[in-house]
Amino acid sequence: MRGAFLNKGLAMFSNKKSTGPVLQPEPVIPVDQRKTMETLMADDCRWPIGDPQGADFHFCGKRKVDGHPYCDFHVRRAGQTSKPRTVAYPHFAG
Ligand SMILES: [Zn+2]
């Protein structure tokens, strides 16, 4: 009986639609617009780009969406990735 139950579970997975959201490619930030820890402003998107240990590591730096640490593009990107880089968004009062 246990085997039949497992098969049922697997069938549910295989029925999953394959038409998921398509990830858009990361926007390339021009070098002179890149933000670092030093230049990132409170209203800038703080989506990390590149290797944090690398010399070219920077943040997105676009105008962020109110209530989110990221710009419109990266708010959506954060919602699409299965492993969010941040814990759940805090709900800001007001
Ligand atoms: Zn961004």
Side-chain angles (χ1 to χ4, degrees):
M1 273 310 176
R2 199 194 292 171
F5 178 77
L6 282 176
N7 284 340
K8 204 172 182 180
L10 288 174
M12 283 172 66
F13 276 111
S14 62
N15 282 341
K16 193 175 154 190
K17 285 186 179 179
S18 59
T19 53
V22 178
L23 288 179
Q24 289 179 273
E26 287 279 349
V28 177
I29 313 299
V31 176
D32 61 343
Q33 291 176 25
R34 291 180 182 181
K35 304 282 181 134
T36 64
M37 285 287 189
E38 286 78 34
T39 58
L40 193 75
M41 295 294 155
D43 285 344
D44 292 342
C45 170
R46 53 197 59 208
W47 185 272
I49 298 174
D51 181 357
Q53 308 297 324
D56 65 342
F57 175 75
H58 58 282
F59 295 97
C60 168
K62 291 184 179 177
R63 181 72 168 84
K64 76 178 182 70
V65 177
D66 288 342
H68 291 277
Y70 305 128
C71 67
D72 181 59
F73 178 92
H74 284 125
V75 166
R76 272 179 280 178
R77 171 58 61 86
Q80 288 173 350
T81 180
S82 56
K83 289 182 183 174
R85 299 178 189 209
T86 57
V87 194
Y89 293 119
H91 289 278
F92 295 101

